[in-house]
Amino acid sequence: MFWPSSILLFTAYIVSGQNRSFTIDYDNNTFLKDGEPFRYISGSIHYSRIPPIYWKDRLMKMYVAGLNAIQIYIPWNFHEPVKGVYNFTGAHDVEGFIKLAQDVGLVVILRSGPYICGEWEFGGLPAWMLKEDPTIQVRTSDPTYLQFVGGWYDVLYPKIKPLLYVNGGPIITVQIENEYGSYFACDYNYLRFLREKAVELLGTDVILFSTDGSGAHNLQCGSLEGVYTTVDFGPTGQKCRKAFFLQRQWEPRGPLVNSELYTGWLDHWGKNHSVTHIDVVAKSLDLILSMGANVNMYMFEGGTNFGYWNGANYPPYQSVPTSYDYDAPLTEAGDITDKYIALRQIISKYNPVPKMPIPPSTPKHAYGKVSMVFDGTVQDILTRFSPPLPVNKSQLPLTMEQIGSYYGYILYRHVILVNLTTASILSVPGVRDRANVMVNGRPLGVLERGGETDVNITGTKGQYLDILVENQGRIGFGSGMLNNSKGIISNVLLNGSIVEGWEIYPLPLEDLLRVNLSMATGISPSIYVGNFSFQGTAEDTYLDMTNFSKGQVFINGFNLGRYWPSLGPQIRLYVPKSALLAAPSINYVMLFETENVLCPSKQICAVEFMDTPLINATVPAGSSEEEGQEITFLRR
Ligand SMILES: *[C@@H]1O[C@H](CO)[C@@H](O)[C@H](O)[C@H]1NC(C)=O
Ligand SMILES: *[C@@H]1O[C@H](CO)[C@@H](O)[C@H](O)[C@H]1NC(C)=O
Ligand SMILES: *[C@@H]1O[C@H](CO)[C@@H](O)[C@H](O)[C@H]1NC(C)=O
Ligand SMILES: *[C@@H]1O[C@H](CO)[C@@H](O)[C@H](O)[C@H]1NC(C)=O
Ligand SMILES: *[C@@H]1O[C@H](CO)[C@@H](O)[C@H](O)[C@H]1NC(C)=O
Ligand SMILES: *[C@@H]1O[C@H](CO)[C@@H](O)[C@H](O)[C@H]1NC(C)=O
Ligand SMILES: *[C@@H]1O[C@H](CO)[C@@H](O)[C@H](O)[C@H]1NC(C)=O
Ligand SMILES: *[C@@H]1O[C@H](CO)[C@@H](O)[C@H](O)[C@H]1NC(C)=O
Ligand SMILES: *[C@@H]1O[C@H](CO)[C@@H](O)[C@H](O)[C@H]1NC(C)=O
Ligand SMILES: *[C@@H]1O[C@H](CO)[C@@H](O)[C@H](O)[C@H]1NC(C)=O
Ligand SMILES: *[C@@H]1O[C@H](CO)[C@@H](O)[C@H](O)[C@H]1NC(C)=O
Ligand SMILES: *[C@@H]1O[C@H](CO)[C@@H](O)[C@H](O)[C@H]1NC(C)=O
């Protein structure tokens, strides 16, 4: 990075000898930082969606935009993926991220959940809770749920306490729950439990706050005594005055706060990419700041749902793409946009923005085409894991949670008992969320939650009926969160009779490196492998999936995310340079394609690394720009 680190403000160290305080001045309707009036102009950034090598770059860009604060979520499931197994290192180093923000000169508004929404898998809640209790009433005072939440905070909050502003860190406020008034339960005992837990483990010298959508009912069920009420609202229409008027109903005095001013909006697979016009956001920010209010822009950088971390909405069930670009002021890849420049200009009317050059966007490189060679079907790879995949045997289908494999894919295998010479109807009403049905490796159809859940099958006694089910992300908003099990959650019926006798293979695919890669012949769903190498240093790039239909892609074992160009709007996946290796290393690309390859040859079909994103298009099924099938070796 080109900026000298001596320019950075080491706020903590400057005042560390003094008494630090962050409080509310109810007389003057403002926050007080060390006794002085303080108004935050903040942006949301999710460390779980940004590669750690870029944390500082993004925080610097936020600082240079004139922000004095950031707002972050802590996704519980990111840190405790398996019950009692914690991760706070590497990409999960939340303490390191918070300290970095402080080094850069930003204070931190902490949203510690346990529920975070954020279009994140299960709204941040760990799927292992569904193994412990499939009917757990999340976000209520269900004793089992409270026990898990309490256990989590006993681990998390002691790490957070030294990072509170009063203790020398940057954290000025801590949110209780998240837009709880939008949830049907309206369970004050649950909110009280969260408040007591925060007071017990963090002490009383930090401001606790709530955030709710600007409707009277939302504030009624989301607010709690001892927790400062804030509102959130988007940039359009007359929402601003109405929302702050409502905040005043609950907080007659104190600072006005919009905890989420939407700079853009989220996407769903199969829907157009969301765009919010620059002027609309800029005008709204201007109005809020002119009122002396505090504001957090959601998102300032959206980032990426790497791996299986995307969430979903319901009803109808709609899954969130891999890109979480959000049309935010910094792109998914952290690039400067016109929106960034415009918002910085607005901020400069109210607060001095740092007199330093805006950090540049990172270079992007078009590594070009990489031939992907068919390596084997899902049936092939079942037998090629070393050590072998675990297999669960059960009379009736078990859910993903029941077998303790929470993400990715799962395959249900049944040996057909009688000849099915004429079509019989196979029904999988409980498919979560999409399934490929095969008999003896022959694809017979795709079933989908909320869509077709019946398929006609034929087959012969002794053949395998395979149902490969994909988890597309757990619902993270509303009452659908109560029914979030994955895999097959009902019985499977053949002509109306329950099918019994299953072998169940968990296929998270994150251990694809354990597969013995060697050529085989077959049909989809299938693994494709490719490789490329380059000289020099790695740079960010975008992986274009136009020739493929749907699946999951891995680079050097890093789970880049889901691709689905036939549905869109995302066609290319952001590849951070940290996923790539310069020569003499070889980069391995692997993908699991579950539907259709659009190249003339199913044996070889290229992906292409390009230097621009594409998240606002669709590739109509059947279209393919790839004419030849030449093997392309790539060199920089
Ligand atoms: C810090 O607080 C203590 C106790 O309130 C007080 O005695 C002391 O003067 C304060 N120091 C500064 C530098 O404000
Ligand atoms: C805050 O309000 C009090 C009482 O109205 C007033 O005396 C004081 O000057 C105000 N402080 C600031 C910083 O405006
Ligand atoms: C924690 O996550 C990092 C990636 O951020 C990984 O390298 C490490 O192995 C994980 N640690 C544990 C204990 O799972
Ligand atoms: C989830 O929904 C399915 C289908 O509506 C239903 O059969 C099942 O009982 C529900 N499960 C829970 C835990 O509510
Ligand atoms: C989606 O985008 C297409 C192409 O730009 C446009 O024709 C269509 O009206 C858009 N649909 C919606 C709902 O905005
Ligand atoms: C599934 O299989 C694994 C590995 O064999 C085993 O540890 C686990 O207990 C099984 N779970 C169920 C629900 O059968
Ligand atoms: C089932 O089909 C196989 C293959 O067509 C045939 O060899 C076998 O005799 C059939 N069995 C019955 C019971 O019809
Ligand atoms: C299912 O019903 C169809 C149509 O009645 C029939 O042809 C087929 O043999 C039945 N299959 C089984 C397994 O009973
Ligand atoms: C199954 O086959 C029957 C008879 O050919 C047809 O009417 C029905 O639409 C088919 N069902 C599905 C789900 O394809
Ligand atoms: C990998 O597969 C090949 C071909 O099936 C086989 O010859 C070889 O022994 C396998 N290697 C391992 C380590 O299993
Ligand atoms: C790289 O891919 C090419 C083309 O498919 C293949 O011939 C070669 O064996 C691969 N190299 C390695 C090291 O896997
Ligand atoms: C997609 O985004 C690009 C870059 O912002 C823009 O030029 C193009 O018009 C957009 N296409 C659609 C269909 O919105």
Side-chain angles (χ1 to χ4, degrees), residues 329-399:
L330 293 171
T331 69
E332 174 179 15
D335 290 352
I336 306 293
T337 64
D338 293 345
K339 194 175 274 181
Y340 176 98
I341 304 293
L343 297 182
R344 182 172 185 264
Q345 177 63 31
I346 300 291
I347 293 168
S348 71
K349 290 168 60 178
Y350 300 91
N351 268 9
V353 300
K355 291 194 193 331
M356 52 167 92
I358 294 171
S361 298
T362 54
K364 307 295 184 298
H365 191 78
Y367 291 96
K369 290 185 180 174
V370 174
S371 291
M372 300 300 296
V373 180
F374 172 83
D375 180 63
T377 65
V378 65
Q379 284 81 15
D380 294 332
I381 65 167
L382 286 185
T383 59
R384 283 160 53 194
F385 271 93
S386 175
L389 284 173
V391 187
N392 290 81
K393 290 190 185 346
S394 173
Q395 280 306 100
L396 300 174
L398 301 173
T399 64

Side-chain angles (χ1 to χ4, degrees), residues 561-572:
R562 178 180 287 107
Y563 64 89
W564 203 348
S566 59
L567 207 52
Q570 180 172 14
I571 308 297
R572 298 181 195 154

Side-chain angles (χ1 to χ4, degrees), residues 337-631:
T337 64
D338 293 345
K339 194 175 274 181
Y340 176 98
I341 304 293
L343 297 182
R344 182 172 185 264
Q345 177 63 31
I346 300 291
I347 293 168
S348 71
K349 290 168 60 178
Y350 300 91
N351 268 9
V353 300
K355 291 194 193 331
M356 52 167 92
I358 294 171
S361 298
T362 54
K364 307 295 184 298
H365 191 78
Y367 291 96
K369 290 185 180 174
V370 174
S371 291
M372 300 300 296
V373 180
F374 172 83
D375 180 63
T377 65
V378 65
Q379 284 81 15
D380 294 332
I381 65 167
L382 286 185
T383 59
R384 283 160 53 194
F385 271 93
S386 175
L389 284 173
V391 187
N392 290 81
K393 290 190 185 346
S394 173
Q395 280 306 100
L396 300 174
L398 301 173
T399 64
M400 291 182 94
E401 293 80 9
Q402 281 172 314
I403 66 162
S405 179
Y406 303 113
Y407 307 109
Y409 296 83
I410 183 169
L411 186 136
Y412 298 83
R413 171 166 283 182
H414 168 77
V415 179
I416 295 175
L417 300 174
V418 294
N419 283 355
L420 305 172
T421 39
T422 47
S424 305
I425 299 176
L426 185 81
S427 307
V428 192
V431 58
R432 295 285 184 279
D433 301 291
R434 190 177 171 94
N436 299 79
V437 177
M438 294 156 276
V439 170
N440 243 28
R442 185 165 45 99
L444 296 177
V446 174
L447 307 180
E448 203 166 26
R449 173 182 196 171
E452 185 59 73
T453 56
D454 289 353
V455 60
N456 287 334
I457 65 167
T458 55
T460 308
K461 180 182 177 187
Q463 290 186 330
Y464 289 138
L465 163 66
D466 286 339
I467 308 178
L468 173 73
V469 182
E470 176 198 10
N471 165 1
Q472 292 185 346
R474 289 184 184 77
I475 296 162
F477 186 80
S479 56
M481 291 183 69
L482 288 182
N483 197 334
N484 246 338
S485 295
K486 294 296 185 177
I488 296 178
I489 67 160
S490 67
N491 285 322
V492 174
L493 308 172
L494 190 61
N495 274 7
S497 302
I498 294 174
V499 180
E500 294 192 25
W502 295 92
E503 284 184 352
I504 306 169
Y505 297 81
L507 279 175
L509 296 179
E510 298 202 309
D511 49 1
L512 267 187
L513 293 173
R514 287 204 291 118
V515 174
N516 177 6
L517 296 171
S518 64
M519 285 292 284
T521 53
I523 33 183
S524 65
S526 302
I527 297 285
Y528 287 79
V529 296
N531 64 70
F532 70 105
S533 59
F534 58 87
Q535 305 291 330
T537 54
E539 282 169 6
D540 287 6
T541 181
Y542 299 91
L543 185 57
D544 188 286
M545 299 305 301
T546 303
N547 289 336
F548 289 84
S549 297
K550 177 169 201 319
Q552 197 80 13
V553 58
F554 301 81
I555 297 188
N556 298 321
F558 178 69
N559 188 344
L560 201 61
R562 178 180 287 107
Y563 64 89
W564 203 348
S566 59
L567 207 52
Q570 180 172 14
I571 308 297
R572 298 181 195 154
L573 277 74
Y574 170 60
V575 183
K577 65 181 182 184
S578 48
L580 302 179
L581 303 165
S585 297
I586 295 173
N587 293 280
Y588 288 94
V589 183
M590 294 192 199
L591 51 93
F592 185 56
E593 166 63 48
T594 60
E595 319 240 313
N596 196 15
V597 177
L598 302 180
C599 297
S601 161
K602 304 262 183 268
Q603 297 295 322
I604 302 174
C605 191
V607 293
E608 184 168 0
F609 289 95
M610 308 182 86
D611 56 10
T612 53
L614 185 56
I615 53 168
N616 60 352
T618 46
V619 176
S623 94
S624 168
E625 291 174 19
E626 183 76 359
E627 292 300 329
Q629 353 174 327
E630 80 282 13
I631 297 177

